Amino acid sequence: MSDVKKPKKEIKPKKNPMPAQDPVARAKNFNEVALGYSKEAVIDEAKRCLQCKKEPCRQGCPVEVDIPAFIRLAAEGDFAGAIAKIKEKNALPAVCGRVCPQENQCEKYCTLGKKHEPVAIGRIERFCADWELATGVKIPEVAPPTGKKVAVIGSGPAGLTCAADLAKLGHKVTVFEALHVAGGVLMYGIPEFRLPKAVVQAEVENLKKLGVDIQVNSVVGKFTTVDALMEEEGFEAVFIGTGAGLPYFMNIPGENACGVYSANEFLTRTNLMKAYMFPNWDTPIKLGRKVAVLGGGNVAMDAARTALRLGAEESWIVYRRSRDELPARKEEVEHAEEEGVKFAFLTSPVEILSNEDGWVTGMKCIKYELGEPDASGRRRPVPIEGSEYLMEVDTVVVAIGQGPNPLVPRTTKGLELTKKGTIVADPETGATSKPGVFAGGDVVTGAATVILAMGAGRTAAKAIHEYLSNK
Amino acid sequence: MFKILEKQVFSPIIKQFVIEAPKVAKSCRAGQFVILRIHEEGERIPLTIADFDREKGTITIVFQEVGKTTTQLGQMEAGDYIRDFVGPLGEPSHIKKFDHPVVVVGGGVGIAPVHPIARELKRAGNHVIGIIGARSGDLLFWEDKMREACTELLVTTDDGSYVRKGFVTDVLKEVIEDKGKENIAQVLAIGPQPMMRAVCNLTKEYGIETVVSLNAIMVDGTGMCGCCRVSVGGTTKFVCVDGPEFNGHEVDWHELSRRSAIFRPEEQKAMEYHNCECGSGCGGAK
Ligand SMILES: Cc1cc2nc3c(=O)[nH]c(=O)nc-3n(C[C@H](O)[C@H](O)[C@H](O)COP(=O)(O)OP(=O)(O)OC[C@H]3O[C@@H](n4cnc5c(N)ncnc54)[C@H](O)[C@@H]3O)c2cc1C
Ligand SMILES: Cc1cc2nc3c(=O)[nH]c(=O)nc-3n(C[C@H](O)[C@H](O)[C@H](O)COP(=O)(O)OP(=O)(O)OC[C@H]3O[C@@H](n4cnc5c(N)ncnc54)[C@H](O)[C@@H]3O)c2cc1C
Ligand code: SF4
Ligand code: SF4
Ligand code: FES
């Protein structure tokens, strides 16, 4: 036994700061906000890692990326090694490094985080992924063809991951996507300034290099059905990754007034259809001077920040609970605040008012207070009687959540659903009640996260491979 | 990419394309529509499937040039390619055998979407009375096809330049008076919103069930954005997935017409931009 302690490593208490566009400038453009680490910064940040034997950070990652290992390689400047390590578990690192809610996942469990700021795991991951995209992605080896055909419905993170894994195993994969581009929410929902569309399309291109056939403009449930794919088109297994694309509304009077958008419409017009480039691009979007976004999640933050960029003078988040309960990523809330988004907490509209032409003029709102915690552990908002007041706004974006689109479930025989309309699937395998049909991502869990959808796609790919091998 | 196989010009603003789209042709049914996008920067616009040929794998669309996208579409020629073409979307028409004759009314470019429904109704054994009308004779098309699709066909023009003078509602009223309201099982009307609304006002007086096909503004056409929402019988419906056909007597026409006008100034701007010949490369030439 030795009493000589190792000299204690000097720990930098704070993360290397993320270079970002100036808030005033960026609130007027759609360029990416967070610019990414330099090579020096990433190595410096990676050196903050203590290389803990117990790897607590890893348990926080839904797909258990080998965090200490990839960070060690990054600290040595071996980015090729680091990205290979990440990709063992995470098929979309350039995406996850940008949009994972790290403060609730990997970084939440980081040892450093007990006394200091945790290691910036997501930022290091992003750097490695961007480095690979810039230097040329190595296309992994594809197993010899098995002669088996698999259909993947939906090209969000769940579908893309499932397709990639199955293709690597030698299966012939066809992805059917309803929209005219692949990527799901990554393309139509999450804005350009947070996740550049070129990054997503680079991942889609890599998938094509694995031999995956991506058929856009293909709405399953309309031009064909899951049953027809299996019985008539020779697909031996199907993965359903159709996401949670059905927008919820508040069901309050006045919601169909002109100037009321669902977040999906607002973001789709802007991101997918590039309305911010109108009239160079043909799809318009229209908003007034004062925009109210209802909700407090990532979707709401994205809509509120988008509104500023489209020229709104004021952009408000109207949220029923208080700041502490905001479900959005912390970084997004901070970014929104820096850019000038305003918050009306403990507030909810009961009616949307409009003028004689049908355009929104304001919202009748009611104030809330926080009561006892509910089933989710969050304190339940309770309306305060007689607290109604008028909030003058001329555009309203409803961002209170989404459910699964019923097109596929409704047209597939023998698919068990929950009351909420999500597909029932075994979390270990993604298997549904229908033999040969698997599902994962938001269509199973309800609106969740990119990394969970990706993990579900990966789990299902493994199970589909087993299913096909034993068939 | 989707090839335009044939182009026919019915009038300077009404044109017909036959488009190669085997996947759509294989499964589409009367009453459904497609969404297309001409080029990379293009808008997604819905157009009804006016006819189809499953064997040849083709879809026929007929459209009226009302704004930038339809005008640009009208400038395309046989042999050109449309970038995106997705369908069939929407619920098919409910085709069944009625006990009494049914009346189908097509106004203006609405004649095209009425056609496949009339044909199916007749195939199902119905006595189908067709009424088609346009502002003037030179804007009228498909009289022959409609004559074939219906049991009897009545034609009218607003200005009297062809066959007779009168609105489709005038003719409809005569038909109802002539046959007796209890002898008409259903009226189906497709055309501009004011025309569908007028038909509904008329048939409501007589208490005749009336189906209309709504043309709300759309983006995705799959139930994802809610842009196409409309109040029907006091509840909100999405035209793209719950429709496009609804009970015309329950539609909130006032709301629909306001929502259809949301982007009017922008549409005008797009048109001006499209027509710009300043030579600065501003996009007008595109
Ligand atoms: C605005 C916004 C911001 C978000 N921000 C974050 C974030 O910062 N971090 C994070 O982790 N998560 C975020 N999320 C959540 C995350 O994007 C989703 O959880 C994830 O994309 C779900 O992946 P998925 O593959 O299950 O479905 P999706 O990404 O929804 O993809 C489903 C795909 O299936 C297609 N499809 C649907 N029906 C059919 C059909 N019938 N036929 C063919 N194709 C069909 C759809 O068009 C779509 O492309 C955000 C979501 C939104 C909307
Ligand atoms: C289910 C459905 C079926 C249709 N079928 C036909 C058809 O068979 N033939 C035909 O000529 N027209 C049809 N329309 C209408 C057609 O979609 C519009 O004329 C077209 O979108 C106009 O685009 P634009 O850019 O040329 O004109 P714009 O200048 O953009 O618009 C002119 C008017 O068209 C309507 N419109 C604009 N954008 C859209 C949109 N994305 N979706 C729906 N309406 C819009 C608005 O009321 C607007 O005021 C249909 C519409 C729907 C919803
Ligand atoms: S995938 Fe997400 S949770 Fe996992 S290590 Fe990367 S950033 Fe953290
Ligand atoms: S917990 Fe933090 S410090 Fe420890 S290995 Fe993981 S990232 Fe490094
Ligand atoms: S067009 Fe988007 S929901 Fe109907």
Side-chain angles (χ1 to χ4, degrees):
Chain A
M1 219 172 77
S2 151
D3 281 329
V4 189
K5 280 195 187 148
K6 268 203 275 180
K8 222 173 164 193
K9 186 168 138 187
E10 175 100 32
I11 295 173
K12 284 194 184 172
K14 287 200 178 297
K15 288 179 179 177
N16 277 269
M18 183 62 141
Q21 266 199 76
D22 172 70
V24 178
R26 78 182 187 228
K28 299 273 169 264
N29 71 49
F30 278 85
N31 300 334
E32 191 169 17
V33 167
L35 301 170
Y37 275 161
S38 65
K39 201 168 148 188
E40 291 69 39
V42 81
I43 291 177
D44 191 61
E45 185 64 30
K47 285 186 174 156
R48 288 180 70 223
C49 170
L50 305 173
Q51 292 293 319
C52 314
K53 283 272 158 341
K54 286 201 176 142
E55 313 183 326
C57 47
R58 239 185 130 166
Q59 299 145 30
C61 172
V63 295
E64 291 174 32
V65 166
D66 190 345
I67 298 168
F70 96 73
I71 293 189
R72 192 181 61 242
L73 291 162
E76 291 162 5
D78 179 1
F79 303 123
I83 192 65
K85 201 34 112 190
I86 297 170
K87 281 196 155 174
E88 283 173 13
K89 296 285 182 189
N90 179 351
L92 302 168
V95 176
C96 294
R98 285 174 168 82
V99 304
C100 260
Q102 288 105 4
E103 73 269 19
N104 294 326
Q105 299 182 353
C106 50
E107 295 180 17
K108 182 174 179 179
Y109 297 92
C110 172
T111 315
L112 262 194
K114 292 199 180 112
K115 279 196 188 146
H116 309 289
E117 280 186 5
V119 177
I121 301 169
R123 294 173 184 177
I124 303 175
E125 182 172 311
R126 167 182 164 171
F127 179 92
C128 298
D130 287 357
W131 177 89
E132 191 197 29
L133 288 175
T135 52
V137 173
K138 240 183 53 215
I139 299 304
E141 272 184 46
V142 171
T146 60
K148 311 229 180 221
K149 275 170 65 179
V150 184
V152 169
I153 308 173
S155 64
L160 291 179
T161 308
C162 187
D165 284 5
L166 287 168
K168 282 184 228 162
L169 292 163
H171 303 298
K172 180 83 201 92
V173 185
T174 307
V175 178
F176 296 101
E177 167 56 48
L179 291 169
H180 56 262
V181 289
V185 169
L186 308 181
M187 286 306 286
Y188 77 74
I190 305 182
E192 176 78 18
F193 57 80
R194 216 147 65 70
L195 178 64
K197 302 306 146 217
V199 170
V200 184
Q201 287 313 303
E203 298 289 6
V204 173
E205 285 309 311
N206 291 335
L207 191 60
K208 288 187 191 156
K209 288 186 195 140
L210 292 174
V212 172
D213 176 19
I214 302 185
Q215 303 215 356
V216 293
N217 295 319
S218 304
V219 187
V220 176
K222 285 291 169 190
F223 84 99
T224 189
T225 60
V226 170
D227 292 276
L229 286 172
M230 299 182 83
E231 284 156 26
E232 292 158 29
E233 308 284 333
F235 289 99
E236 295 186 43
V238 174
F239 175 76
I240 304 175
T242 49
L246 183 79
Y248 292 149
F249 285 91
M250 307 265 303
N251 294 320
I252 56 174
E255 225 171 1
N256 291 350
C258 304
V260 182
Y261 297 94
S262 75
N264 276 3
E265 181 186 355
F266 191 74
L267 293 170
T268 300
R269 282 183 181 275
T270 318
N271 297 317
L272 183 71
M273 306 312 295
K274 306 246 183 296
Y276 61 92
M277 298 212 255
F278 178 86
N280 269 318
W281 286 60
D282 294 345
T283 306
I285 192 156
K286 176 155 179 164
L287 72 180
R289 292 169 45 220
K290 191 167 165 187
V291 178
V293 178
L294 315 181
N298 283 320
V299 183
M301 296 306 141
D302 284 344
R305 297 172 70 194
T306 297
L308 284 180
R309 284 163 174 79
L310 290 170
E313 284 168 27
E314 280 181 44
S315 177
W316 285 80
I317 291 277
V318 178
Y319 183 53
R320 226 153 47 108
R321 304 180 197 239
S322 74
R323 191 190 173 86
D324 290 339
E325 286 83 18
L326 279 176
R329 289 180 67 203
K330 202 166 135 246
E331 189 179 275
E332 304 314 326
V333 178
E334 285 164 9
H335 277 154
E337 267 182 331
E338 285 166 21
E339 289 165 12
V341 171
K342 297 181 177 149
F343 293 81
F345 291 116
L346 294 164
T347 303
S348 186
V350 287
E351 183 177 355
I352 296 172
L353 309 167
S354 50
N355 63 19
E356 61 277 13
D357 296 327
W359 279 89
V360 175
T361 54
M363 302 192 298
K364 194 159 132 205
C365 293
I366 187 163
K367 294 294 275 178
Y368 279 75
E369 60 193 349
L370 290 181
E372 295 299 305
D374 63 12
S376 73
R378 294 185 302 176
R379 292 178 62 194
R380 189 198 305 274
V382 195
I384 305 173
E385 232 174 284
S387 65
E388 286 92 348
Y389 72 103
L390 178 77
M391 183 173 184
E392 272 180 46
V393 295
D394 44 25
T395 307
V396 177
V397 180
V398 185
I400 56 167
Q402 302 98 242
N405 190 314
L407 274 184
V408 172
R410 213 187 270 160
T411 52
T412 308
K413 278 183 234 135
L415 201 60
E416 195 189 331
L417 306 177
T418 67
K419 268 195 228 117
K420 285 184 184 159
T422 52
I423 298 176
V424 176
D426 180 346
E428 305 286 312
T429 60
T432 68
S433 55
K434 192 177 169 77
V437 177
F438 298 74
D442 283 4
V443 74
V444 170
T445 56
T449 61
V450 173
I451 188 72
L452 284 172
M454 215 213 75
R458 176 146 279 185
T459 304
K462 225 184 278 167
I464 290 171
H465 181 60
E466 249 166 60
Y467 170 82
L468 292 175
S469 309
N470 297 333
K471 215 177 147 180
Chain B
M1 301 285 262
F2 299 80
K3 192 172 183 182
I4 303 171
L5 299 174
E6 282 171 38
K7 175 180 182 177
Q8 234 176 305
V9 177
F10 293 142
S11 84
I13 54 158
I14 300 182
K15 294 166 188 176
Q16 170 187 314
F17 284 172
V18 176
I19 292 168
E20 187 171 50
K23 229 157 53 176
V24 187
K26 195 175 153 215
S27 52
C28 69
R29 282 156 68 194
Q32 292 186 297
F33 63 96
V34 296
I35 284 191
L36 61 79
R37 204 170 69 116
I38 302 177
H39 51 69
E40 179 59 29
E41 295 85 24
E43 176 176 27
R44 295 169 63 99
I45 65 157
L47 294 171
T48 309
I49 297 171
D51 206 348
F52 53 87
D53 187 325
R54 296 204 205 285
E55 243 107 79
K56 290 193 190 130
T58 61
I59 295 289
T60 303
I61 53 170
V62 178
F63 59 93
Q64 179 168 359
E65 297 179 6
V66 295
K68 176 172 175 191
T69 305
T70 43
T71 302
Q72 260 185 315
L73 191 63
Q75 288 161 354
M76 296 178 83
E77 298 296 338
D80 289 346
Y81 288 85
I82 292 174
R83 189 173 176 106
D84 298 298
F85 194 85
V86 57
L89 300 171
E91 285 294 309
S93 300
H94 301 288
I95 305 290
K96 62 170 190 188
K97 168 79 177 85
F98 293 93
D99 294 335
H100 293 288
V102 287
V103 182
V104 298
V105 187
V109 75
I111 297 168
V114 155
H115 164 262
I117 305 173
R119 186 173 59 191
E120 287 308 311
L121 283 168
K122 191 173 157 193
R123 265 190 204 151
N126 290 293
H127 181 105
V128 182
I129 305 168
I131 303 173
I132 59 173
R135 266 203 319 273
S136 60
D138 53 339
L139 294 174
L140 200 76
F141 61 93
W142 278 19
E143 189 184 339
D144 50 340
K145 277 184 87 141
M146 279 300 284
R147 210 167 281 289
E148 205 175 302
C150 301
T151 321
E152 47 182 308
L153 183 73
L154 302 161
V155 181
T156 184
T157 50
D158 298 0
D159 64 359
S161 57
Y162 184 67
V163 183
R164 61 162 282 176
K165 185 176 162 71
F167 298 119
V168 285
T169 38
D170 297 332
V171 181
L172 177 61
K173 194 174 165 109
E174 290 165 19
V175 169
I176 298 172
E177 290 293 337
D178 180 42
K179 304 260 173 198
K181 62 180 180 193
E182 56 292 329
N183 293 323
I184 292 171
Q186 191 190 64
V187 172
L188 175 119
I190 309 183
Q193 277 173 29
M195 171 233 139
M196 290 193 281
R197 199 171 171 173
V199 166
C200 289
N201 286 340
L202 180 73
T203 55
K204 202 164 189 175
E205 277 174 37
Y206 291 102
I208 304 171
E209 184 191 317
T210 301
V211 174
V212 292
S213 179
L214 300 182
N215 47 358
I217 297 183
M218 296 186 177
V219 182
D220 61 300
T222 66
M224 183 267 271
C225 75
C227 170
C228 61
R229 62 196 191 280
V230 54
S231 301
V232 181
T235 52
T236 296
K237 301 277 180 193
F238 289 4
V239 173
C240 69
V241 283
D242 301 321
E245 291 180 8
F246 294 99
N247 177 347
H249 294 154
E250 293 189 335
V251 171
D252 184 339
W253 294 99
H254 192 52
E255 180 187 278
L256 180 66
S257 78
R258 281 164 159 181
R259 288 190 61 82
S260 299
I262 288 180
F263 297 106
R264 202 146 284 162
E266 286 73 20
E267 285 153 4
Q268 249 152 26
K269 188 170 164 196
M271 207 54 210
E272 282 160 22
Y273 190 75
H274 175 62
N275 290 331
C276 166
E277 286 165 8
C278 71
S280 69
C282 74
K286 206 171 58 200

